[in-house]
Amino acid sequence: MTALEKINSAPSRLGGTALYDWDYLVQEDRAHRLIYTDPAIFEAEMTQIFGGTWTYLAHESEIPNENDFITRRMGLRPLIIVRDGEGKIRALYNRCTHRGTTLCRWEKGNTKSFQCPYHGWNFLNTGKLRGVPWPDGYAEDMRDPKYNLAQVPRVESYRGFIFGTLNIDALTLAGHLGPIAKVIDEWLDRNPGGKVVVCEANRFRFKGNWKLAYDNSCDGYHVAYSHRSLLETENRFAGENAKGMAYYRNSPDTQPMYMRYTGHGNHFKDKRPNLEKRPGGLWALESAHPGMEHYEAEFLRRYGDRAFSLLDLAGSEPVNINVFPNFSLLGNHIQVFEPLGVGETNAIWYGTMLVNDGSLPADAVTDINALRMRTQEGFPNFGEVDDIANFEQIQRGLMAVEDEWVYMHRGFGIPGRVKQQPDGTITAPATDEAFMREHFKEWKRLMKGPPNLAIAREP
Ligand code: FES
Ligand SMILES: [Fe+2]
């Protein structure tokens, strides 16, 4: 029996011991500190969750041409995401089949083959072993498929977003996304041609568990306190006109925004109802960024009545769309959480640009993208640092062994507050922790496992 078969056949790798009673560790309204601090639980997550369900890997615009590649990870597995010579997107294990070193040390590039830096084994970008130095030193046939690179057996895209899973019994990606796909559609469809292109990333690393970031991804309770300096900065010159996330300042639950849980750990916070529905309604919320007044005046001069709907394309879309376990769309960013260890995580914000589908004046697209870079500097730079400070301080706080529980019961037990909708989704006011209670049900389901994991290799 291989190690992979053992993982698949065990009821749960950690199941037998009292310490890892998942129903005890995650209850309806509270979670045990161990799920954030225990290295063995983290190790199990890297198989049961990052492997057992769909993990976001990359965006198709990062590998637009044949033979383009980027290096990424799925949990702790290093991967090469490649578009091979026939245009097929693959997620190859970045792990030489000879002695296990990472094969590709570059972040991105274009190549038909990868040569291992250690002993020179050479692999096609389909994962097939192409040749080894001095093959007469091997008694066996080196064309045995076991020497071809391992790869993620299921890689699927949803409108440019590439996900992978090792779980051969998992739903299709579309099935996994379920109702959240419609919100992703709306996020995309406000852009010309329903498309965005990923540009560069804003990279953060924090000393805390990855779930702290996902637990915060739909949290409307912290904004007025954790981001107070950001709200004040955004509104310093605003006069009567509230800017940025000012709708959080006073009694956010009386605002029309809300959270919705859509299943499989996925949820979103919809702040769009807070906006005035008119061309320029989104632009009006943008706080001061260098060059804004100049662009606005120039757009009005060039495009007249159309100026404000064009400027809206530079504004940050007021939604947080979260796909469990590692993907968020917020504002105009794609945010990805990459676990590095039980107490260390990357939080990476990929900026996005528009592409002209012919429906916009060419010079407008260039200027909107320039302006979009400015507006995209606002939230990650001034907001994420607040959040990361919280994540690191939670990780410190959870080192207090005897104080065991983390509470997530805001909105729980108040009749009529959290609503089960006819379509099966769950809605609640913006500050409720219902999203967290729900995504932990999915976490627990996956941790109880076992997932039916597999890897693929070229024949
Ligand atoms: S480890 Fe890759 S060729 Fe030896
Ligand atoms: Fe935040």
Side-chain angles (χ1 to χ4, degrees), residues 96 98-101 116 118-121:
C96 181
H98 176 215
R99 297 249 290 271
T101 182
C116 181
Y118 197 179
H119 311 93
W121 285 23

Short mmCIF file of all heavy atoms in Angstrom, two decimals, residues 96 98-101 116 118-121, ligand 1:
data_model
loop_
_atom_site.label_atom_id
_atom_site.label_comp_id
_atom_site.label_asym_id
_atom_site.label_seq_id
_atom_site.Cartn_x
_atom_site.Cartn_y
_atom_site.Cartn_z
N CYS A 96 11.45 17.37 -8.77
CA CYS A 96 12.10 16.44 -9.69
C CYS A 96 11.85 15.01 -9.25
O CYS A 96 11.91 14.69 -8.06
CB CYS A 96 13.60 16.74 -9.74
SG CYS A 96 14.49 15.66 -10.87
N HIS A 98 13.70 12.54 -9.75
CA HIS A 98 14.93 11.83 -9.39
C HIS A 98 15.14 11.88 -7.88
O HIS A 98 14.78 10.96 -7.16
CB HIS A 98 16.13 12.44 -10.15
CG HIS A 98 17.45 11.83 -9.79
ND1 HIS A 98 18.62 12.57 -9.76
CD2 HIS A 98 17.80 10.56 -9.45
CE1 HIS A 98 19.62 11.77 -9.42
NE2 HIS A 98 19.15 10.56 -9.23
N ARG A 99 15.61 12.98 -7.37
CA ARG A 99 15.89 13.01 -5.93
C ARG A 99 15.09 14.07 -5.20
O ARG A 99 15.36 14.35 -4.03
CB ARG A 99 17.40 13.20 -5.70
CG ARG A 99 18.24 12.03 -6.25
CD ARG A 99 18.87 11.20 -5.17
NE ARG A 99 19.93 11.93 -4.49
CZ ARG A 99 21.22 11.94 -4.88
NH1 ARG A 99 21.60 11.23 -5.93
NH2 ARG A 99 22.11 12.63 -4.21
N GLY A 100 14.13 14.68 -5.90
CA GLY A 100 13.13 15.48 -5.18
C GLY A 100 13.35 16.97 -5.11
O GLY A 100 12.55 17.68 -4.51
N THR A 101 14.40 17.49 -5.71
CA THR A 101 14.61 18.94 -5.63
C THR A 101 13.55 19.68 -6.44
O THR A 101 12.95 19.11 -7.36
CB THR A 101 16.02 19.32 -6.14
OG1 THR A 101 16.18 20.74 -5.99
CG2 THR A 101 16.21 18.99 -7.60
N CYS A 116 16.43 19.99 -14.65
CA CYS A 116 16.70 20.02 -13.21
C CYS A 116 18.11 20.55 -12.95
O CYS A 116 19.07 20.08 -13.56
CB CYS A 116 16.55 18.61 -12.63
SG CYS A 116 16.85 18.60 -10.84
N TYR A 118 19.99 19.98 -10.51
CA TYR A 118 20.86 19.10 -9.72
C TYR A 118 21.66 18.15 -10.62
O TYR A 118 22.89 18.25 -10.70
CB TYR A 118 19.99 18.34 -8.69
CG TYR A 118 20.72 17.70 -7.54
CD1 TYR A 118 20.00 17.02 -6.55
CD2 TYR A 118 22.11 17.76 -7.41
CE1 TYR A 118 20.64 16.43 -5.46
CE2 TYR A 118 22.75 17.16 -6.33
CZ TYR A 118 22.01 16.49 -5.37
OH TYR A 118 22.64 15.89 -4.29
N HIS A 119 20.98 17.23 -11.35
CA HIS A 119 21.71 16.29 -12.20
C HIS A 119 21.31 16.37 -13.66
O HIS A 119 21.70 15.53 -14.45
CB HIS A 119 21.49 14.85 -11.74
CG HIS A 119 21.69 14.62 -10.28
ND1 HIS A 119 20.65 14.68 -9.37
CD2 HIS A 119 22.80 14.35 -9.55
CE1 HIS A 119 21.11 14.45 -8.15
NE2 HIS A 119 22.41 14.25 -8.22
N GLY A 120 20.48 17.37 -13.98
CA GLY A 120 20.22 17.63 -15.39
C GLY A 120 19.11 16.83 -16.04
O GLY A 120 18.99 16.84 -17.26
N TRP A 121 18.29 16.11 -15.28
CA TRP A 121 17.13 15.46 -15.92
C TRP A 121 16.29 16.55 -16.57
O TRP A 121 16.11 17.64 -16.00
CB TRP A 121 16.28 14.70 -14.90
CG TRP A 121 16.88 13.40 -14.43
CD1 TRP A 121 18.20 13.05 -14.44
CD2 TRP A 121 16.15 12.29 -13.87
NE1 TRP A 121 18.35 11.78 -13.91
CE2 TRP A 121 17.11 11.30 -13.55
CE3 TRP A 121 14.81 12.03 -13.59
CZ2 TRP A 121 16.75 10.07 -12.98
CZ3 TRP A 121 14.45 10.82 -13.02
CH2 TRP A 121 15.42 9.84 -12.73
S1 FES B 1 17.35 15.69 -8.44
FE1 FES B 1 16.71 16.31 -10.39
S2 FES B 1 18.13 15.38 -11.71
FE2 FES B 1 18.74 14.70 -9.78
#
